Amino acid sequence: MKCGTVTIIGRPNVGKSSLINALLRTQAVIISPKPQTTRNSLRCIYNDDEAQIIFTDTPGLYRPSNSRDKLGIFLNNSILDALDDSDVILWLVDAGTRKLQPDDYEIARMLPRKIPVLLAANKSDKSDPSQAFRLYNEILKLKFAAEIPVSAKTRRGIDDLMSALKPLIPEGQAIYDPDILMDTTEKFMAGEIIREKILMLFHDEVPHCVAVMIDEYKSPDEYPDRKKLYIRASLITETEGQKKILIGSKGEMIKKIGELSRKKIEDVTGFPVYIDLWVKAVPEWRRNQAALKRLGYS
């Protein structure tokens, strides 16, 4: 039996979360075409008869504008922590890459030198990855354990990717029960689902200025007298203007966020759900260390 941790790293929007979902054959983590969709390093557990692999989904590399950007610093520190805890690193790139970006050089600089790195090119159903592989080899002068073309969307190359990963995983007994899909709580996932719907419904800067804090989570599992899962959540914005946008005319948008979130949380938990959403403006929360700590970004 083998058991180990594989950290997935890459530029924002390269498809790390989509790849996790393809590997686990279910939507374990939220996805969106917008940067900063993933804000926490999330552990997702793959099991078969040969191995247990703990995949860590990391935030996309973020460039803080200055030292006051505490959220950006947290995102990058969480990447470094995940890399240090890895048995294998899976660097996901875009198969259509024709020129390296500053983020690529920064990722190469961050890689621990004694941990094997596997290079995978996503979206290979749309682009030939051979030039991308050549760029990362010749310019960065890194030695990769394997180079695998994949498509998270069509699942092309997923079996080849697993075949390349397993020999790199150390021997060991499983850490997690095989029924566990993610090393997190339903309460955390409820907050992520609500944030996913905000990312889906809003554009420009608004989604990136919003955090979700679950104030109350009462499940029939813990409260047998309840027939519904009750969730009270605060949507934290930075300005009163963003707060008005989230609420919408006559509460139309906040109602829509609640409806979409409720349906998905019901699918995940199997319980009827009642969601009570509130919107609060906390000026510059992304730069406020105390606010970030309350929101779980510390």
Side-chain angles (χ1 to χ4, degrees), residues 222-238:
E222 296 179 89
Y223 300 87
D225 56 316
R226 288 184 171 273
K227 294 182 179 180
K228 287 189 176 184
L229 167 60
Y230 173 76
I231 300 171
R232 179 166 59 86
S234 297
L235 312 185
I236 311 298
T237 68
E238 288 193 318

Side-chain angles (χ1 to χ4, degrees), residues 39 190-191 194-195 198 210-214 233-236 295 297:
R39 284 183 178 166
I194 295 168
R195 195 164 61 83
I198 294 170
V210 178
V212 177
M213 184 163 63
I214 303 297
S234 297
L235 312 185
I236 311 298
L295 294 166
Y297 300 127

Side-chain angles (χ1 to χ4, degrees), residues 78-89:
S78 68
I79 296 172
L80 289 170
D81 289 343
L83 290 175
D84 287 341
D85 289 338
S86 304
D87 294 302
V88 182
I89 295 167

Side-chain angles (χ1 to χ4, degrees), residues 13 15 33 71 93 106 109 112-113 116 125 137 167 176 182 188 234 244 265 269 283 296:
N13 279 14
L71 178 61
V93 303
E106 182 62 18
R109 186 191 66 78
R113 296 306 171 194
D125 55 318
N137 275 281
Y176 295 93
M182 294 186 70
F188 173 83
S234 297
K244 290 179 181 178
I265 295 171
T269 65

Side-chain angles (χ1 to χ4, degrees), residues 88-293:
V88 182
I89 295 167
L90 174 55
W91 187 353
L92 191 65
V93 303
D94 192 315
T97 299
R98 297 297 175 259
K99 181 180 179 182
L100 297 190
Q101 302 296 322
D103 285 351
D104 296 310
Y105 293 97
E106 182 62 18
I107 289 171
R109 186 191 66 78
M110 295 168 70
L111 293 175
R113 296 306 171 194
K114 294 184 179 181
I115 299 176
V117 181
L118 192 152
L119 186 67
N122 192 25
K123 306 175 186 176
S124 62
D125 55 318
K126 296 181 179 179
S127 303
D128 180 357
S130 57
Q131 185 175 341
F133 285 144
R134 190 161 53 248
L135 280 173
Y136 284 91
N137 275 281
E138 294 177 0
I139 296 179
L140 297 179
K141 301 186 184 304
L142 293 172
K143 186 177 181 180
F144 297 106
E147 298 165 12
I148 310 292
V150 298
S151 169
K153 184 177 181 180
T154 67
R155 301 199 79 258
R156 173 187 176 186
I158 295 297
D159 291 341
D160 294 335
L161 179 58
M162 292 302 301
S163 297
L165 278 172
K166 284 182 180 179
L168 304 174
I169 302 297
E171 292 184 358
Q173 293 300 309
I175 298 172
Y176 295 93
D177 186 282
D179 293 332
I180 294 177
L181 182 66
M182 294 186 70
D183 183 12
T184 188
T185 63
E186 284 187 359
K187 178 179 176 180
F188 173 83
M189 284 308 301
E192 287 290 275
I193 289 169
I194 295 168
R195 195 164 61 83
E196 179 186 53
K197 302 313 173 188
I198 294 170
L199 286 163
M200 182 182 78
L201 292 170
F202 297 91
H203 304 287
D204 301 323
E205 182 64 11
V206 172
H208 306 301
C209 297
V210 178
V212 177
M213 184 163 63
I214 303 297
D215 302 305
E216 203 169 350
Y217 188 92
K218 292 185 176 180
S219 167
D221 282 335
E222 296 179 89
Y223 300 87
D225 56 316
R226 288 184 171 273
K227 294 182 179 180
K228 287 189 176 184
L229 167 60
Y230 173 76
I231 300 171
R232 179 166 59 86
S234 297
L235 312 185
I236 311 298
T237 68
E238 288 193 318
T239 68
E240 289 295 330
Q242 293 162 359
K243 177 179 176 180
K244 290 179 181 178
I245 292 171
L246 276 184
I247 295 172
S249 177
K250 298 181 180 179
E252 178 185 358
M253 294 310 296
I254 194 74
K255 182 179 179 182
K256 198 165 189 178
I257 296 168
E259 287 176 350
L260 293 173
S261 301
R262 175 181 56 77
K263 289 176 183 176
K264 185 160 184 181
I265 295 171
E266 286 179 343
D267 290 340
V268 170
T269 65
F271 292 120
V273 173
Y274 179 84
I275 296 185
D276 188 13
L277 297 179
W278 297 79
V279 186
K280 302 176 182 178
V282 179
E284 296 192 332
W285 68 262
R286 291 181 292 180
R287 298 182 177 184
N288 186 314
Q289 194 66 52
L292 287 169
K293 189 173 182 179

